[in-house]
Amino acid sequence: MSAVLSDAEVDALGERLPLLEGIRTTRAIRRLKPDPVPRALVRKICEAGTFAPSGGNRQPWFFVAVMDAERRAFIAQRYREAFHSYIATAVEAAKDPNYPDRKRRNMLAAIHLADHLHEAPVHLFVAGWTRRGEPQYQALYPAIQNILLACRAVGLGASLTTVHRAHGEEIDAVLGLSADTPSCAMLPIGWPAGRYGRPPRKPVDEVLFFDRVEGAAVSRS
Ligand SMILES: Cc1cc2nc3c(=O)[nH]c(=O)nc-3n(C[C@H](O)[C@H](O)[C@H](O)COP(=O)(O)O)c2cc1C
């Protein structure tokens, strides 16, 4: 996909994917090509974010799409540092040959993202107004999910990350965000190097109960 798309092409992209199919095939895409993403497409996926519900319809969100290479390098450096200390225990655990393959693959993809974050052409930060001095991150997650789904629809790869919060104040300052509008999540976005597919999820019948939870059936794994 090219960085140069006509307005008509941007308008048409993603408009035909059935909603439930899109939901079932949206997953963390962490291997991204460095090719640029048109601003008009960033606008389109953020517009999807603005259709999310929010308490009292306050719409507390801000979207900051970092496309400047120097800023992305700065963010990636902070992210990488925090990520590697966060993941260290899991890396140790994964040395066990019995460590589940699915978890290992997920971890390797997350490590790849951390080590290549500076190459992701868009670092999309979702920030929002605090309420009585407290961040309202829960108010931003519906918008974040809408954006992830919109990325899926238009063919962009994306994932939801929060590790940058370890350096949140410093990064927010660089983004021009004040303590009244802290960032909640950062979505690295770009054209996917791989393909979409159905993510591994628990079967619905394991987690759906009618009228009453059967306690013994609920497990943490
Ligand atoms: C609240 C939250 C925070 C997350 N933070 C990170 C993160 O900092 N870095 C990362 O690589 N993935 C992060 N993820 C993505 C999850 O690891 C990912 O959704 C999960 O492994 C499922 O991946 P899949 O959709 O490819 O199956 C986060 C997800 C959520 C919901």
Side-chain angles (χ1 to χ4, degrees), residues 160-179:
L160 163 54
T161 79
T162 49
V163 161
H164 81 280
R165 288 303 317 159
H167 297 284
E169 281 178 24
E170 189 189 9
I171 291 178
D172 286 356
V174 167
L175 302 181
L177 291 166
S178 73

Side-chain angles (χ1 to χ4, degrees), residues 25-30 79 83 86-87 102-103 106-107 109-114 141 144-145 148 158-165 184-186 188 197-201:
T25 55
T26 296
R27 64 174 309 174
I29 302 283
R30 298 190 179 101
Y79 182 99
F83 178 82
Y86 164 79
I87 201 85
R102 183 171 58 75
K103 279 174 106 175
N106 194 42
M107 188 183 77
I111 292 171
H112 177 92
L113 175 68
Y141 276 104
I144 290 168
Q145 181 65 11
L148 292 171
S159 55
L160 163 54
T161 79
T162 49
V163 161
H164 81 280
R165 288 303 317 159
C184 160
M186 188 269 288
R198 244 179 129 102
R201 295 292 187 265

Side-chain angles (χ1 to χ4, degrees), residues 14-137:
E15 299 293 336
R16 298 178 72 89
L17 179 67
L19 181 61
L20 290 176
E21 185 191 337
I23 288 173
R24 285 191 294 259
T25 55
T26 296
R27 64 174 309 174
I29 302 283
R30 298 190 179 101
R31 296 175 200 276
L32 302 168
K33 296 180 184 165
D35 312 3
V37 171
R39 283 183 180 224
L41 212 45
V42 173
R43 181 181 177 279
K44 179 165 180 157
I45 57 169
C46 289
E47 186 183 37
T50 67
F51 283 96
S54 58
N57 197 22
R58 276 186 287 273
Q59 306 175 53
W61 40 69
F62 292 87
F63 309 109
V64 185
V66 180
M67 310 191 60
D68 173 74
E70 227 172 273
R71 274 167 206 262
R72 284 184 288 125
F74 167 83
I75 292 159
Q77 191 276 329
R78 300 298 189 280
Y79 182 99
R80 205 162 36 245
E81 189 189 301
F83 178 82
H84 281 291
S85 73
Y86 164 79
I87 201 85
T89 320
V91 169
E92 217 30 59
K95 288 180 183 161
D96 181 340
N98 295 322
Y99 193 77
D101 259 1
R102 183 171 58 75
K103 279 174 106 175
R104 182 177 281 111
R105 275 199 301 275
N106 194 42
M107 188 183 77
L108 290 175
I111 292 171
H112 177 92
L113 175 68
D115 292 344
H116 294 263
L117 186 57
H118 56 288
E119 294 165 15
V122 184
H123 295 179
L124 180 63
F125 285 82
V126 179
W129 284 108
T130 53
R131 202 160 150 72
R132 300 186 189 101
E134 292 298 318
Q136 301 291 299
Y137 295 150

